Amino acid sequence: MGSNTPRKAGSERGGRATEEMSYRTRLEETLPRVRETIAEAARRAGREPEEVRIVPVTKGHPLEAVEAILDAGLRDVAENRVGELEEKARRLRDDRVRWHMVGHVQRRKAPRLLPIVHLLHSLDSVRLARRFQRVVEDPEAPLRALVQVNTSGEEAKGGFEGRDGALRGLGEILEIARIRVEGLMTMAPLTDDEETLRSTFRRLREIHEEARETLPEYRGTELSMGMTNDYPIAVEEGSTMVRIGTALFGERPE
Ligand SMILES: *Cc1c(COP(=O)(O)O)cnc(C)c1O
């Protein structure tokens, strides 16, 4: 380091976050590229690019990343830890931001998350849903959430297990009045194997379609799937929200 020459954000993945390049400058380059990639994938699948919302994931990046997102005209921002989300929301104090939570939430942290979160992507147990039910005070302002499903079969991934687990869990959560289920979320394995990625996303869409047919209470419209490594495939398979960190902001600083 030591040089203050501006550096180009290297690779497709956005390069390393360096102090030499501001988040704003970096986004001017990466955001159009991500949008174009989404548009191409949507067209390949006969979808409209507007059906896919970019949810930038700023975890591990400074507040400047969130400010750059707002400057670029976006309002959705995601974090994966309650503490970091709280901290950023408190320091930023900008009510233009719609905060998304995409990581596992411990039940005891539900009360802290509730006042901040616009959409919880990672509702991964009935017990967590029941915890939120007790915390939401206003029945007219339910928690908006996506039910997380493990469609990859990977042990380490959170969420309800596969089709059966998802339909059963979804059925129980739909009975909880103060939660509004807006759709489903999944995470694919970190792999380059296209067929593995595709089938992980396709399974989520199939569960969503089956739920729409068999669970009258389910009116979800959102499929949160796709990250830097796999979002073009996720869009081809029907994603409505891609959660993108690295492709927008570069590698997360340690
Ligand atoms: C970090 C994270 C992302 C974004 O990952 P990138 O590979 O940086 O795009 C998306 N979803 C979840 C749940 C995450 O934790």
Side-chain angles (χ1 to χ4, degrees):
M1 303 284 123
S3 154
N4 45 27
T5 325
R7 240 196 246 170
K8 248 183 95 49
S11 66
E12 260 299 303
R13 291 179 61 81
R16 261 203 94 70
T18 57
E19 288 176 50
E20 287 88 343
M21 183 180 264
S22 73
Y23 280 93
R24 189 172 297 137
T25 311
R26 179 182 298 267
L27 267 187
E28 281 170 13
E29 188 177 306
T30 57
L31 185 56
R33 201 159 67 201
V34 168
R35 282 195 168 127
E36 186 50 35
T37 304
I38 290 171
E40 284 166 6
R43 278 186 223 111
R44 281 198 298 278
R47 307 180 61 206
E48 298 297 328
E50 298 73 35
E51 294 170 30
V52 186
R53 199 193 313 179
I54 298 176
V55 180
V57 182
T58 51
K59 71 176 184 213
H61 292 282
L63 204 56
E64 194 197 337
V66 182
E67 290 164 348
I69 283 296
L70 289 174
D71 287 347
L74 277 70
R75 297 180 55 201
D76 296 288
V77 181
E79 287 286 333
N80 78 330
R81 286 158 180 267
V82 174
E84 193 171 343
L85 174 58
E86 257 182 334
E87 164 84 10
K88 282 186 173 132
R90 184 175 56 75
R91 286 172 52 211
L92 190 70
R93 288 168 184 247
D94 190 322
D95 54 21
R96 283 177 299 172
V97 178
R98 292 189 291 240
W99 290 105
H100 296 242
M101 178 64 189
V102 298
H104 173 67
V105 177
Q106 293 170 286
R107 290 197 303 283
R108 63 185 171 84
K109 293 188 181 164
R112 284 160 53 192
L113 182 65
L114 186 72
I116 311 170
V117 76
H118 167 77
L119 180 66
L120 170 65
H121 291 230
S122 42
L123 185 54
D124 55 9
S125 74
V126 176
R127 293 176 77 193
L128 180 61
R130 296 215 171 101
R131 186 75 190 89
F132 275 110
Q133 165 72 10
R134 291 201 300 275
V135 174
V136 174
E137 285 176 10
D138 180 0
E140 302 297 315
L143 172 74
R144 300 147 56 103
L146 309 179
V147 168
Q148 183 173 352
V149 185
N150 182 352
T151 54
S152 72
E154 278 193 314
E155 288 271 327
K157 293 277 186 291
F160 293 91
E161 288 298 327
R163 171 197 170 275
D164 294 357
L167 291 175
R168 196 165 46 230
L170 195 50
E172 288 185 53
I173 291 173
L174 288 168
E175 289 177 8
I176 300 178
R178 294 183 186 189
I179 306 241
R180 189 163 84 210
V181 179
E182 305 215 321
L184 306 179
M185 180 274 231
T186 196
M187 284 177 80
L190 191 59
T191 172
D192 290 331
D193 183 55
E194 191 179 318
E195 207 33 58
T196 303
L197 297 169
R198 195 174 291 286
S199 62
T200 302
F201 299 136
R202 188 175 297 156
R203 267 183 221 123
L204 192 73
R205 176 164 44 85
E206 288 169 356
I207 293 166
H208 169 74
E209 285 165 1
E210 188 174 347
R212 298 270 315 199
E213 284 169 21
T214 61
L215 300 172
E217 299 294 310
Y218 180 63
R219 293 185 203 93
T221 54
E222 305 287 351
L223 289 175
S224 169
M225 51 190 201
M227 317 182 6
T228 294
N229 182 54
D230 52 32
Y231 69 98
I233 300 171
V235 169
E236 287 176 14
E237 293 301 325
S239 172
T240 64
M241 289 186 184
V242 288
R243 311 176 306 267
I244 313 253
T246 313
L248 292 173
F249 306 114
E251 299 287 341
R252 286 175 273 279
E254 277 316 305

